[in-house]
């Protein structure tokens, strides 16, 4: 006897259901007989809470950042652009680029950043003195260059490893360097076992640092943040919001960059709010 089935969808009390209709048919010379069996399958409901951003609230959003704020932002961007052009030391340039990226400002300076990294990549061998014996500088350079698509071999870290492939014991207290080595390790390529091993060892030393040291609050905060989730895995915009607050606590912060970061974040947020009002 032929067997047939079909699905029928319906809703009840906020939940969605699909009913499977199964039937068989038999045919004789005088009559057609059909038997039907209903099988009701209950689909799990997510039970989402109602949105807190209702229509009236969305329409009440107002953009408080007028042209005067945008003009101030333009002036600050020009000052930062001058900083990028005036910095001579390669490590200071990398630190500035890293700060701009983490504060969500790098999209304003893409040309300057690309030119800087291109020059550093080209001169990597001839100007190695600035990063010689410096794990922090080597790891920061490695991470930024790989983030921007430049080819950098993991062998740049060979100098910092001992004969059995572990991090040299002399670097066990270089927590700034270990942190950047840990972050850099998340940009490894398949088969780069040196970086895999370095990540494990660096994480172990950094966890020990958090247990034993509270002298450097800013560095401890960065270490704890990285061990929770590495920078390479984080959402840039959410990271920017978090880093603005933390960068403000840094005694070595650049007030011009900080002001621009706060202003730019709020201007961008106000644009998103305007878009939300429009589409709602």
């Amino acid at each position: 006897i032929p067997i047939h089935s079909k699905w029928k969808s319906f809703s009840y009390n906020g939940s969605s259901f699909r009913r499977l209709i199964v039937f068989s048919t038999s045919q004789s010379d005088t009559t057609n007989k059909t038997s039907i069996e209903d099988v009701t399958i209950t689909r799990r409901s997510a039970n989402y809470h109602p949105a807190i951003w209702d229509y009236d609230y969305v329409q009440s959003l107002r953009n408080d950042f007028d042209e005067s704020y945008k003009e101030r932002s333009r002036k600050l961007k020009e000052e930062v652009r001058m900083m990028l052009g005036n910095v001579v030391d390669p490590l200071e340039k990398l630190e500035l680029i890293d700060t701009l990226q983490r504060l969500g400002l790098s999209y304003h300076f893409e040309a300057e950043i690309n030119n800087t990294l291109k020059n550093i990549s080209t001169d990597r061998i001839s100007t190695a003195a600035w990063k010689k014996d410096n794990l922090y500088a080597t790891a920061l350079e490695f991470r930024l260059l790989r983030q921007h698509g430049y080819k950098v071999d993991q062998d740049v870290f060979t100098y910092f490893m001992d004969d059995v492939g572990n991090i040299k014991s002399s670097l066990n207290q270089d927590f700034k360097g270990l942190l950047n080595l840990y972050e850099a390790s998340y940009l490894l390529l398949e088969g780069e076992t040196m970086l895999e091993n370095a990540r494990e060892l660096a994480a172990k030393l950094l966890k020990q640092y958090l247990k034993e040291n509270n002298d450097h609050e800013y560095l401890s905060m960065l270490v704890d943040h990285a061990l929770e989730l590495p920078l390479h895995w984080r959402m840039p915009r959410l990271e920017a919001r978090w880093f603005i607050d933390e960068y403000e606590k840094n005694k070595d912060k650049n007030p011009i960059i900080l002001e621009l970061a706060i202003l730019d974040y709020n201007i961008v947020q106000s644009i998103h709010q305007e878009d939300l009002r429009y589409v709602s």
Side-chain angles (χ1 to χ4, degrees), residues 217-238:
E217 181 180 353
Y218 183 69
L219 180 59
S220 297
M221 173 272 302
L222 292 178
V223 169
D224 184 63
H225 191 63
L227 291 175
E228 179 187 2
L229 191 68
L231 180 61
H232 189 56
W233 290 0
R234 291 187 177 272
M235 295 180 64
R237 202 61 191 166
L238 296 180

Side-chain angles (χ1 to χ4, degrees), residues 28-73:
S28 65
D29 295 338
T30 58
T31 183
N32 291 330
K33 296 182 180 179
T34 303
S35 62
I36 299 177
E37 179 184 357
D38 288 359
V39 180
T40 301
I41 299 177
T42 304
R43 299 173 64 84
R44 184 177 59 187
S45 173
N47 293 321
Y48 293 117
H49 294 289
I52 60 173
W53 287 46
D54 59 24
Y55 177 80
D56 291 335
Y57 176 73
V58 170
Q59 293 303 311
S60 71
L61 297 174
R62 291 294 179 266
N63 185 356
D64 296 326
F65 292 87
D66 56 25
E67 190 60 33
S68 63
Y69 290 97
K70 295 178 181 179
E71 180 60 29
R72 177 59 180 165
S73 175

Side-chain angles (χ1 to χ4, degrees), residues 182-194:
Y182 176 78
E183 293 282 24
S185 70
Y186 281 90
L187 284 92
L188 62 79
L189 302 176
E190 185 177 358
E192 291 185 328
T193 55
M194 181 193 299

Side-chain angles (χ1 to χ4, degrees), residues 208-221:
Q208 192 66 28
Y209 164 75
L210 289 179
K211 292 179 180 179
E212 299 177 355
N213 297 274
N214 293 303
D215 297 336
H216 199 308
E217 181 180 353
Y218 183 69
L219 180 59
S220 297
M221 173 272 302

Side-chain angles (χ1 to χ4, degrees), residues 66-179:
D66 56 25
E67 190 60 33
S68 63
Y69 290 97
K70 295 178 181 179
E71 180 60 29
R72 177 59 180 165
S73 175
R74 284 191 285 268
K75 291 181 179 179
L76 291 172
K77 281 187 282 189
E78 288 307 312
E79 292 187 44
V80 174
R81 192 166 281 110
M82 290 178 62
M83 289 182 200
L84 283 166
N86 294 335
V87 173
V88 176
D89 181 67
L91 179 55
E92 291 184 17
K93 288 183 177 181
L94 291 173
E95 290 176 325
L96 181 55
I97 291 172
D98 187 42
T99 298
L100 292 174
Q101 286 189 169
R102 299 194 69 165
L103 289 171
L105 295 173
S106 58
Y107 72 100
H108 291 299
F109 312 102
E110 289 182 352
E112 292 81 5
I113 290 174
N114 289 335
N115 288 335
T116 298
L117 293 177
K118 182 179 180 180
N119 292 334
I120 289 176
S121 176
T122 302
D123 300 334
R124 230 164 17 95
I125 299 178
S126 60
T127 59
W130 63 271
K131 60 182 177 179
K132 185 179 180 181
D133 305 336
N134 191 332
L135 176 60
Y136 164 65
T138 302
L140 180 61
E141 179 196 43
F142 179 91
R143 175 166 62 85
L144 290 178
L145 288 177
R146 278 213 171 174
Q147 279 181 347
H148 288 263
Y150 291 93
K151 183 178 180 180
V152 191
D153 198 282
Q154 68 167 348
D155 290 343
V156 297
F157 296 108
T158 302
Y159 175 83
F160 306 101
M161 306 298 169
D162 60 22
D163 295 336
V164 295
N166 294 329
I167 299 172
K168 289 181 178 179
S169 58
S170 59
L171 298 169
N172 286 357
Q173 300 298 312
D174 181 9
F175 298 112
K176 191 175 181 180
L178 291 170
L179 171 60

